[in-house]
Amino acid sequence: MPDIVLSRRVAAGTDAPLDAWRDNVGAALAVDGPPRRFDPVRTVVVLSWNMWIGRGNLAGIVSRIRDGSWSATGIPRDTPIVALIQEAYRADDSIPAASNGHGGRDFSGRSRREHEIRAVAEQLKFNLRYAPSMRNGPYHSDRGNAILSDLPLVDTLATELPFAMQRRVAVSATVVLDGLPIRVHAAHLDPRGGSALDLLGLRGRLAQVQGLISSMPVDPQMPQLLGADLNLVRHRREPAFRALVDAGFVTGIPEVAITWPHTYHRQPRLMLDWILLANRGERIRRVAVQRLDENLRDAGRYVFGSDHHPLLAMISLDPEPGA
């Protein structure tokens, strides 16, 4: 079974009670599905989604991609898929039987509707890399970030971000398209700060973004792809977003105005979720991102079971460098 390396160097030196949060979750999870062959691989579909502690129906969305539901919007049905997931839900025997009190709030244990992330990966026959961030209240489950794909996932790293309000662990891996390694990251930042000096969480999210950026490879030819719930309260004006822009991240190639007003579906409706790319080496020629709506009028209580809209992108490479 492949391993996931856990990096705690970003959080080193903080006085946060991280040991109790770490002790309250299960082990990181890496599972490889059956091998699939795509030849040549120059296009990939990327899905980024906050699954609301597993309530979102990821397998249903992948099935609709395969059925061609979004072909009219430029999403092909027969290309590889990389899913960058936040609030993935996991329940297995690696999680301590009793909670020590350090974890995230969670009411989902009452719903019995969670899609357990390993079961989802096995249903889809996808490779899976999952890193837990926090326990789900007193329940025998945890949640965190995950990467799922029918492409091989290698060199996985789980990065513990600087502590603000809750423990946050980003997960990263490398996929290869047409010989080009692309580093993909799934992350979820704190919605608020951990003290009265940072109630809105601006400082905490900036530190978490800086920690995530510092964990990325320095290779100037390796593109970096981020799917994240950034929890920005000030949209693009927030220092955390500006730090990503300064690191070369853009919202599309060519970059166009975002037309959707929100990605968090409940009230207040907020713009929290992003797919961003740092096109190092300039091998990627097109990135087109769209928001998925279950209802054409954006109605209903939930979106495919979650309180967040999924984001879907098609990423295309030039046939060769400089083409």
Side-chain angles (χ1 to χ4, degrees):
M1 179 179 292
D3 292 327
I4 296 179
V5 176
L6 175 62
S7 171
R8 293 177 177 169
R9 59 186 175 84
V10 173
T14 68
D15 58 357
L18 279 169
D19 283 344
W21 290 76
R22 295 166 183 153
D23 293 343
N24 214 19
V25 299
L29 183 60
V31 179
D32 282 343
R36 296 186 61 184
R37 180 175 177 82
F38 299 91
D39 191 18
V41 180
R42 295 197 181 111
T43 300
V44 66
V45 170
V46 174
L47 172 71
S48 181
W49 195 21
N50 182 323
M51 287 180 61
W52 192 24
I53 318 181
R55 287 187 179 182
N57 185 3
L58 176 60
I61 290 181
V62 171
S63 177
R64 291 189 61 176
I65 293 172
R66 296 295 190 217
D67 289 343
S69 294
W70 293 286
S71 294
T73 64
I75 301 298
R77 59 190 298 173
D78 57 352
T79 59
I81 294 174
V82 175
L84 306 173
I85 300 300
Q86 307 89 47
E87 290 196 16
Y89 171 91
R90 191 270 300 271
D92 65 23
D93 291 339
S94 75
I95 302 166
S99 172
N100 64 16
H102 285 77
R105 295 178 61 189
D106 178 33
F107 305 103
S108 69
R110 304 173 185 174
S111 76
R112 307 301 179 191
R113 301 190 191 99
E114 293 83 8
H115 299 271
E116 205 275 336
I117 196 64
R118 181 168 189 156
V120 171
E122 291 174 348
Q123 177 183 351
L124 294 173
K125 298 180 172 58
F126 274 11
N127 305 309
L128 167 67
R129 304 293 185 268
Y130 166 79
S133 290
M134 66 192 79
R135 191 187 188 98
N136 297 319
Y139 301 107
H140 192 212
S141 64
D142 57 27
R143 66 183 183 261
N145 295 299
I147 302 172
L148 302 91
S149 182
D150 41 9
L151 291 173
L153 300 170
V154 298
D155 299 331
T156 309
L157 177 70
T159 302
E160 190 174 71
L161 302 180
F163 188 89
M165 185 182 77
Q166 296 173 321
R167 182 174 183 257
R168 301 284 171 171
V169 179
V171 62
S172 309
T174 299
V175 298
V176 178
L177 270 65
D178 196 25
L180 175 69
I182 299 176
R183 194 70 174 163
V184 298
H185 312 269
H188 188 182
L189 306 186
D190 273 324
R192 294 178 298 280
S195 70
L197 297 175
D198 189 28
L199 287 177
L200 295 179
L202 302 184
R203 296 180 186 177
R205 284 188 293 276
L206 175 59
Q208 289 172 346
V209 161
Q210 291 171 333
L212 178 61
I213 292 171
S214 72
S215 75
M216 295 179 180
V218 297
D219 186 343
Q221 300 300 313
M222 180 182 285
Q224 305 291 314
L225 178 66
L226 172 64
D229 178 349
L230 296 177
N231 268 318
L232 304 177
V233 296
R234 293 182 177 174
H235 205 242
R236 295 173 183 257
R237 302 186 303 276
E238 190 162 316
F241 192 88
R242 295 201 299 269
L244 287 165
V245 172
D246 290 344
F249 283 90
V250 297
T251 59
I253 300 174
E255 191 161 12
V256 297
I258 293 174
T259 58
W260 47 89
H262 67 273
T263 59
Y264 180 66
H265 186 70
R266 303 181 77 184
Q267 298 296 334
R269 293 192 165 185
L270 301 169
M271 184 72 175
L272 304 181
D273 306 276
W274 300 81
I275 292 177
L276 301 170
L277 173 79
N279 192 17
R280 297 180 184 175
E282 299 185 349
R283 179 83 188 274
I284 295 175
R285 65 176 174 85
R286 184 169 183 261
V287 177
V289 182
Q290 60 184 279
R291 188 188 77 174
L292 297 187
D293 301 336
E294 186 172 14
N295 185 289
L296 292 177
R297 294 176 297 146
D298 196 21
R301 293 183 64 189
Y302 309 116
V303 186
F304 305 106
S306 177
D307 54 358
H308 286 247
H309 287 263
L311 296 180
L312 197 62
M314 187 180 74
I315 297 179
S316 301
L317 301 185
D318 279 326
E320 57 187 32

